[in-house]
Amino acid sequence: MEKIVRFGEDYHDKFDTQAFLESYFSDLSDEFHTFPLPYIHKFYQSFHSDKKLKILDIGTGPAIINFISAAPYASEIVLSDYTESNREALRQWLEKDPKAHDWTLFFKHIVIDIEGGEEKDVAVREKKLRSSIKAIVPCDVTKDPLLPTEFMEEYDVLSSTLCLESACKSVDDYNAAVKRFFQLLKPGGKMFIYGLERNTKFSNWTMYKVGNEFFYNIRLSKEMITKALQNAGFINIERVASEFKTQKLFPDHDCWPVIYTAVKQLV
């Protein structure tokens, strides 16, 4: 039977948030999602400790693990996602709803194993992260404005994980979205993107599976991503590629998890 590939608005009623959380965040075995965590810690360590940051994350999904290391540096964090079920999962954790996904294992891994903290620091970090989250809002990276108007301001940090590959149908869409990201950063602000690079020789798209559904994913090469960042106006572009190919989320395709950081030049 031919696979039905889902796009855009299909995320509202076809993306199974609970299946996604259970499949990829029930333990620490999925290297695909644990790979960026030490680099996120190092990224925030690069800021002056006395500077509290306004942080925006675009395409957050239902997971809060990327902000555990960010919390000590944050004055406020704005989370955003296209899909209401993902935003609801974030709200459930924020409000300590009994139905919320349990992130304790990830808090311990990050605070103790990565940052060198102690058991007593875990609860403190959870409290700090909850108090730092200012809002959970809708977003659509393919449109202007991509956020509700009251959140269209400049931030110290913009982060995004595995968002643009799914939201953008073409390289032109990707380039336009990166330019929108650029506009949301203060001069001197930094961006952290975790995404995927692929071989684009034979196809310009692929798919990934959540539950029983397949979702569109654009294929992007190192050259495409770097060019998009440069053309948007970013400087000090740095890249860290993983040494493994992810097989769980994308079992039929070669793809390399990769981190890009970049800076919006001071005026």
Side-chain angles (χ1 to χ4, degrees):
M1 182 181 296
E2 187 176 354
K3 295 183 180 72
I4 298 174
V5 181
R6 305 296 183 183
F7 298 86
E9 291 189 358
D10 292 330
Y11 275 85
H12 292 310
D13 59 359
K14 298 298 182 183
F15 187 86
D16 189 335
T17 295
Q18 194 59 36
F20 181 75
L21 289 170
E22 291 176 357
S23 295
Y24 304 109
F25 296 100
S26 292
D27 55 40
L28 297 170
S29 64
D30 185 9
E31 193 175 9
F32 182 56
H33 287 102
T34 58
F35 165 71
L37 300 179
Y39 295 98
I40 293 172
H41 170 56
K42 292 177 183 177
F43 175 78
Y44 284 103
Q45 275 190 318
S46 69
F47 291 91
H48 294 295
S49 58
D50 59 343
K51 179 177 173 59
K52 294 301 180 183
L53 308 169
K54 289 180 60 177
I55 300 170
L56 169 66
D57 188 76
I58 297 177
T60 306
I64 53 90
I65 60 173
N66 292 344
F67 317 105
I68 297 173
S69 285
Y73 301 88
S75 61
E76 61 182 59
I77 300 173
V78 175
L79 307 180
S80 67
D81 199 76
Y82 181 74
T83 307
E84 169 57 27
S85 62
N86 286 343
R87 299 196 300 271
E88 177 60 21
L90 295 171
R91 285 192 290 266
Q92 286 176 350
W93 179 81
L94 183 62
E95 298 166 4
K96 299 184 180 181
D97 189 311
K99 299 189 295 291
H101 187 76
D102 185 359
W103 296 104
T104 305
L105 191 63
F106 287 89
F107 270 94
K108 289 182 177 180
H109 174 60
I110 292 168
V111 173
I112 298 173
D113 299 337
I114 293 176
E115 299 180 4
E118 301 177 5
E119 186 78 28
K120 63 182 177 62
D121 299 322
V122 174
V124 174
R125 183 63 58 83
E126 287 194 40
K127 183 178 180 180
K128 171 57 179 166
L129 179 53
R130 282 191 172 95
S131 68
S132 298
I133 296 174
K134 174 185 177 181
I136 299 167
V137 301
C139 72
D140 186 341
V141 301
T142 67
K143 294 181 179 178
D144 291 309
L146 66 84
L147 296 170
T149 306
E150 61 268 34
F151 295 96
M152 290 295 295
E153 53 186 285
E154 292 183 336
Y155 295 83
D156 297 298
V157 172
L158 187 152
S159 61
S160 187
T161 296
L162 303 171
C163 168
L164 295 182
E165 294 89 347
S166 300
C168 300
K169 289 186 178 181
S170 68
V171 175
D172 286 344
D173 287 347
Y174 182 86
N175 292 339
V178 172
K179 289 179 180 178
R180 292 185 181 101
F181 284 13
F182 182 84
Q183 296 301 321
L184 287 166
L185 276 172
K186 295 178 181 178
K190 295 183 181 181
M191 183 170 68
F192 183 104
I193 290 184
Y194 180 45
L196 296 166
E197 291 177 355
R198 294 184 173 93
N199 185 335
T200 59
K201 184 176 181 180
F202 302 108
S203 174
N204 61 3
W205 71 279
T206 181
M207 66 188 85
Y208 73 100
K209 186 177 181 182
V210 176
N212 296 316
E213 299 287 352
F214 293 88
F215 293 87
Y216 176 89
N217 220 239
I218 191 173
R219 285 179 176 265
L220 296 166
S221 66
K222 173 185 175 182
E223 290 73 23
M224 290 174 180
I225 297 171
T226 302
K227 185 177 180 180
L229 294 171
Q230 291 172 336
N231 288 346
F234 285 103
I235 61 171
N236 298 345
I237 299 167
E238 297 184 6
R239 171 183 175 272
V240 177
S242 71
E243 296 181 355
F244 67 94
K245 296 178 183 178
T246 179
Q247 296 296 319
K248 188 174 181 181
L249 194 58
F250 301 90
D252 301 325
H253 305 278
D254 286 342
C255 56
W256 297 264
V258 64
I259 294 164
Y260 280 88
T261 59
V263 177
K264 182 173 181 176
Q265 189 168 10
L266 289 167
V267 178

